[in-house]
Amino acid sequence: MVVERDVRILFSDTFLIGIMFANFAIDLFVTAATFGRLIPTGNYFLYIAPGSNFITASVAAFQSGRDVWREKYIKDLTSYLLSLPAPRPVFAFSRVLGGVVRSLIATFPGTLVISYLYGITFDPRIFAAFMIVGLFSLGIVGLSITVSSFASSIEMFVTVRSAIQLYLSFLSTLFYPATVFPSILTPLVASNPMTWAVEAFRSLPQAHGLLGPISALIAPSVAFALLGTVCYLWYAKL
């Protein structure tokens, strides 16, 4: 019921869904195609393609955190929602899962497009593709709810969200390999969830199983999701 409510909130703003898919299309078919022509070595278009979808996933994931913030500070709904006949930890974790479902819906067309480009549309590895997107979204939704728990204003939330998205996009292997970065930045790049996600997706055409590409994402994504759940319960008591 909680997840269904979050999905209904997503579809209540169909314009936003259209904007997210339009941004994905621009990132993929304009930015990636342009950069692919500028960089003659290798197939840069396919290299950058997964990142376009993960950027959309992160935008959708942070919408969940924004909704949580609005429920407390604008709509004053948090106390009511937590009074519903469901254990509070279950309800809080369901908010995280609801955000994951929303991200999967928002990225569904993009995941299919990139799976087609990677030649795995009619292959069991397409399930791994959706699992990678889902695990990445799980961690970012948890992180977004954590941010919303400590943000005292929408401006603070937007500022922190922008800083995180800047880190995810430009201190990762989304646009270029880790060898391009100065050695001092290598630990930041290697610990970036976006790096784990895009590298896992890029490994799918050569993968011989489903577990290998997603294994690096499981522990950190679950940890961020649990952090978001705990923070949601904590800030609801304030």
Side-chain angles (χ1 to χ4, degrees):
M1 182 179 68
V2 178
V3 174
E4 180 186 353
R5 173 183 176 273
D6 284 336
V7 172
R8 286 203 307 268
I9 291 174
L10 172 67
F11 282 106
S12 67
D13 192 350
T14 53
F15 178 75
L16 178 62
I17 299 175
I19 287 295
M20 285 191 287
F21 185 70
N23 284 338
F24 161 75
I26 292 170
D27 284 340
L28 180 61
F29 296 109
V30 178
T31 305
T34 301
F35 287 176
R37 290 179 177 273
L38 293 175
I39 302 175
T41 58
N43 195 332
Y44 190 71
F45 177 77
L46 290 182
Y47 182 86
I48 199 176
S52 304
N53 203 36
F54 286 116
I55 289 175
T56 303
S58 66
V59 170
F62 268 101
Q63 288 297 116
S64 298
R66 188 202 66 167
D67 290 343
V68 167
W69 188 91
R70 285 170 54 86
E71 286 170 0
K72 181 173 185 180
Y73 289 100
I74 297 179
K75 298 182 179 180
D76 196 23
L77 285 175
T78 301
S79 298
Y80 164 73
L81 291 173
L82 288 172
S83 68
L84 295 175
R88 287 193 170 197
V90 173
F91 179 85
F93 192 69
S94 296
R95 298 305 306 274
V96 176
L97 293 181
V100 174
V101 173
R102 289 167 55 158
S103 293
L104 285 171
I105 292 172
T107 57
F108 183 81
T111 306
L112 285 181
V113 169
I114 299 171
S115 296
Y116 173 77
L117 293 174
Y118 272 51
I120 60 171
T121 308
F122 303 104
D123 187 282
R125 286 171 292 182
I126 193 171
F127 297 107
F130 281 101
M131 290 176 69
I132 291 169
V133 175
L135 283 169
F136 175 78
S137 300
L138 179 67
I140 303 303
V141 169
L143 190 59
S144 73
I145 291 178
T146 301
V147 172
S148 69
S149 302
F150 293 96
S152 57
S153 66
I154 192 63
E155 290 81 10
M156 180 181 293
F157 175 81
V158 170
T159 300
V160 176
R161 179 194 65 185
S162 299
I164 292 173
Q165 289 181 326
L166 187 68
Y167 166 64
L168 291 174
S169 298
F170 295 105
L171 282 176
S172 69
T173 58
L174 192 159
F175 292 107
Y176 17 69
T179 53
V180 171
F181 292 91
S183 58
I184 193 173
L185 296 178
T186 301
L188 292 175
V189 176
S191 59
N192 192 322
M194 182 69 80
T195 295
W196 305 334
V198 294
E199 293 300 331
F201 207 107
R202 288 168 185 154
S203 71
L204 287 178
Q206 295 79 36
H208 298 290
L210 301 183
L211 185 59
I214 69 172
S215 57
L217 284 166
I218 295 175
S221 295
V222 171
F224 278 128
L226 292 176
L227 177 64
T229 301
V230 171
C231 290
Y232 182 88
L233 292 171
W234 172 80
Y235 106 115
K237 296 179 180 179
L238 299 181

